[in-house]
């Protein structure tokens, strides 16, 4: 390890070196965010959290207050898991789950997960060319989970298993979720306008309101 670029002969396997590499990576990641958002005159802010931060009522409240204060100041919070201190016991594990937990902690109106596929398909599109995107999921049933490949997530490229797990978290809290293709950022405008894009997962509160 030198004074300049972090020098590693191979991908680290021990936890201290993994976390050291994560610490360096966080600097480079935020440098990229700062540079890219700066081109549009936006200020980016970094928040690093662990599962323990969101399980503690006091920490969760502090997190909530910080995020909303940043938004009031027109800064864009970039939220990641703090891999430099996270252990198996306090690790969230994946970005989809982290996004869902954050959405619930902040009582968000909607969670949008951008992937490299168009949404949840009726079958694995890699093996079934005639598979189509399911535009709306009212409830995450065993059939829906099996379509996504169960726990193995065989739809592969979008990590569909973790996205369904995220949907189960948000919809249980009454927050709807959308999976859309991140290669088309203009889709965000359509989603905000209420148009059908990707796969929309209905929140429980929304279903209850529809049944009135």
């Amino acid at each position: 390890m030198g004074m300049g670029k972090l020098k590693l002969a191979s991908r680290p396997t021990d936890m201290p070196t993994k976390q050291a590499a994560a610490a360096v990576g966080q600097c480079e990641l935020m440098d990229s965010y700062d540079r890219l958002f700066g081109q549009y005159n936006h200020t980016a802010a970094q928040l690093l959290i662990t599962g323990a931060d969101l399980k503690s009522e006091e920490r969760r409240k502090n997190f909530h207050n910080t995020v909303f204060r940043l938004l009031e100041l027109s800064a864009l919070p970039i939220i990641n898991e703090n891999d430099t201190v996270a252990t198996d016991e306090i690790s969230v594990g994946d970005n989809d789950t982290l996004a869902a937990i954050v959405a619930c902690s902040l009582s968000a109106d909607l969670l949008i997960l951008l992937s490299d596929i168009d949404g949840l398909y009726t079958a694995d599109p890699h093996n079934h060319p005639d598979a189509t995107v399911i535009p709306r999921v009212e409830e995450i049933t065993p059939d829906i989970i099996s379509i996504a490949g169960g726990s193995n997530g065989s739809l592969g490229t979008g990590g569909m298993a973790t996205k369904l797990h995220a949907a189960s978290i948000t919809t249980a809290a009454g927050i709807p979720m959308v999976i859309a293709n991140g290669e088309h950022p203009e889709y965000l405008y359509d989603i905000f306008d209420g148009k059908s894009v990707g796969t929309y997962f209905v929140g429980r509160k929304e279903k209850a309101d529809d049944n009135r």
Side-chain angles (χ1 to χ4, degrees):
M1 187 178 300
M3 294 298 291
K5 288 288 186 178
L6 187 68
K7 295 180 180 179
L8 296 172
S10 60
R11 184 180 180 88
T13 56
D14 64 289
M15 185 58 68
T17 309
K18 284 182 178 180
Q19 294 180 322
V24 174
Q26 287 168 356
C27 292
E28 296 189 0
L29 178 65
M30 283 310 300
D31 179 67
S32 296
Y33 273 120
D34 186 57
R35 175 168 41 81
L36 293 171
F37 278 119
Q39 296 176 9
Y40 297 91
N41 297 317
H42 291 305
T43 299
Q46 182 183 44
L47 287 87
L48 297 176
I49 59 177
T50 66
D53 295 321
L54 298 176
K55 290 178 182 177
S56 164
E57 182 176 351
E58 182 178 358
R59 292 184 188 180
R60 188 171 62 250
K61 181 179 179 181
N62 291 338
F63 169 71
H64 179 280
N65 291 341
T66 300
V67 169
F68 278 95
R69 187 58 179 144
L70 284 169
L71 294 175
E72 289 172 356
L73 295 171
S74 299
L76 298 174
I78 308 298
I79 303 169
N80 280 303
E81 186 164 14
N82 192 349
D83 294 325
T84 63
V85 299
T87 61
D88 288 343
E89 291 77 17
I90 62 172
S91 175
V92 173
D94 64 84
N95 287 333
D96 295 328
T97 300
L98 177 63
I101 294 173
V102 167
C104 293
S105 297
L106 300 177
S107 300
D109 295 323
L110 173 69
L111 173 62
I112 302 172
L113 295 183
L114 298 179
S115 181
D116 57 356
I117 55 176
D118 294 328
L120 176 64
Y121 282 81
T122 53
D124 187 340
H126 299 120
N127 300 323
H128 301 273
D130 58 342
T132 58
V133 172
I134 302 173
R136 185 180 178 94
V137 174
E138 296 284 342
E139 185 177 359
I140 302 174
T141 63
D143 287 341
I144 291 294
I145 294 173
S146 66
I147 289 174
S151 60
N152 294 325
S154 65
L155 288 194
T157 57
M160 195 55 64
T162 61
K163 286 174 175 53
L164 283 186
H165 178 58
S168 68
I169 294 173
T170 57
T171 55
I175 300 171
M177 191 186 94
V178 171
I179 299 174
N181 195 321
E183 294 183 2
H184 301 279
E186 66 275 11
Y187 284 171
L188 290 173
Y189 295 106
D190 294 332
I191 293 172
F192 296 151
D193 288 339
K195 298 178 181 178
S196 179
V197 176
T199 300
Y200 181 87
F201 295 83
V202 179
R204 284 187 181 176
K205 181 179 183 301
E206 189 177 353
K207 287 191 292 185
D209 292 341
D210 290 343
N211 292 332
R212 289 179 182 175

